[in-house]
Amino acid sequence: GAVVSQHPSWVICKSGTSVKIECRSLDFQATTMFWYRQFPKQSLMLMATSNEGSKATYEQGVEKDKFLINHASLTLSTLTVTSAHPEDSSFYICSARGRGQGLTTYSNQPQHFGDGTRLSIL
Amino acid sequence: GNSVTQMEGPVTLSEEAFLTINCTYTATGYPSLFWYVQYPGEGLQLLLKATKADDKGSNKGFEATYRKETTSFHLEKGSVQVSDSAVYFCALSGAGTALIFGKGTTLSVSS
């Protein structure tokens, strides 16, 4: 089945550091990638949607300058948390969706999730 | 806007008990509905899905039926196992949009 690889799985760093998280689709072309944030024992909150080759669309309340998203190719999207602070500590999960083929519509393509990145800012 | 409401947890059951986790949704149009499972320390895994009314999704003994009249997609399993202990998320996706998740329901199964 479709595989999405997310790296790193866990990162601990000092306050003020910028952290980059990579999300790769390993066996399909991801026309759209999504970035979610999950607080402990809570649901996943969509942060942004990115389509290959275009700027990401951020959800209301998500700082664009804080969370930089780049979707430079059909297999890679990156999320950079700039000047991270303790309140940015969270579990970040990416997902990817490919294009449909034949009569399969785009909207019915499943989202495949990475295993998540646990970010801890000291 | 679109939203998903699922029952509060945690749900605690003994092995071989019957499981129901309720999920209702609000959406415009005809969304696709999903159940995802998250094991401790891991990412999300798609458990099952249904793309149109009256469809039944099933996998690993779990099943859920897309009920448009009641806007529901309840998850059921006839006999749970300890290995089913996890957090279960109900989700929907409209045309071309990202998944919208419910808050998640923690299931704990004891032997």
Side-chain angles (χ1 to χ4, degrees):
Chain A
V3 177
V4 173
S5 173
Q6 190 172 336
H7 176 80
S9 57
W10 197 354
V11 58
I12 303 173
C13 59
K14 294 181 179 180
S15 184
T17 307
S18 291
V19 179
K20 179 183 284 188
I21 302 170
E22 292 187 349
C23 181
R24 293 181 184 273
S25 58
L26 299 185
D27 55 358
F28 68 102
Q29 293 184 326
T31 51
T32 305
M33 286 188 171
F34 306 91
W35 287 95
Y36 292 85
R37 182 174 181 176
Q38 185 181 29
F39 291 101
K41 299 185 179 182
Q42 295 190 28
S43 188
L44 285 77
M45 301 302 297
L46 179 66
M47 298 175 66
T49 302
S50 73
N51 293 298
E52 186 265 338
S54 61
K55 290 184 178 180
T57 301
Y58 290 81
E59 295 300 302
Q60 192 171 11
V62 178
E63 298 177 59
K64 300 177 183 180
D65 296 331
K66 178 73 169 177
F67 300 99
L68 300 179
I69 292 172
N70 184 286
H71 190 168
S73 76
L74 284 171
T75 59
L76 174 65
S77 176
T78 60
L79 167 66
T80 302
V81 184
T82 61
S83 186
H85 293 285
E87 59 267 27
D88 298 323
S89 298
S90 192
F91 192 56
Y92 293 88
I93 304 176
C94 75
S95 71
R97 181 165 66 193
R99 59 166 61 95
Q101 293 182 351
L103 297 178
T104 305
T105 62
Y106 169 76
S107 63
N108 286 335
Q109 291 302 303
Q111 284 183 226
H112 303 282
F113 285 83
D115 285 339
T117 297
R118 188 163 303 283
L119 174 62
S120 297
I121 309 298
L122 305 178
Chain B
N2 295 347
S3 66
V4 175
T5 302
Q6 61 183 105
M7 63 186 287
E8 297 281 336
V11 174
T12 303
L13 296 173
S14 298
E15 208 165 22
E16 300 183 3
F18 183 85
L19 168 71
T20 300
I21 301 178
N22 290 339
C23 172
T24 57
Y25 67 90
T26 301
T28 54
Y30 304 94
S32 295
L33 302 174
F34 306 82
W35 277 100
Y36 281 83
V37 58
Q38 185 177 34
Y39 297 100
E42 297 183 15
L44 291 177
Q45 298 177 29
L46 176 64
L47 182 59
L48 54 84
K49 69 175 183 179
T51 58
K52 61 183 188 298
D54 298 325
D55 268 3
K56 177 185 283 188
S58 61
N59 185 27
K60 299 180 181 179
F62 292 89
E63 59 182 35
T65 301
Y66 190 143
R67 301 286 188 199
K68 189 167 176 59
E69 64 275 14
T70 54
T71 61
S72 65
F73 193 55
H74 305 320
L75 181 69
E76 296 181 336
K77 186 174 185 181
S79 177
V80 294
Q81 305 300 313
V82 173
S83 57
D84 293 327
S85 299
V87 181
Y88 292 81
F89 293 94
C90 185
L92 70 79
S93 175
T97 64
L99 284 165
I100 304 298
F101 289 88
K103 291 187 176 182
T105 302
T106 299
L107 171 65
S108 294
V109 180
S110 58
S111 57

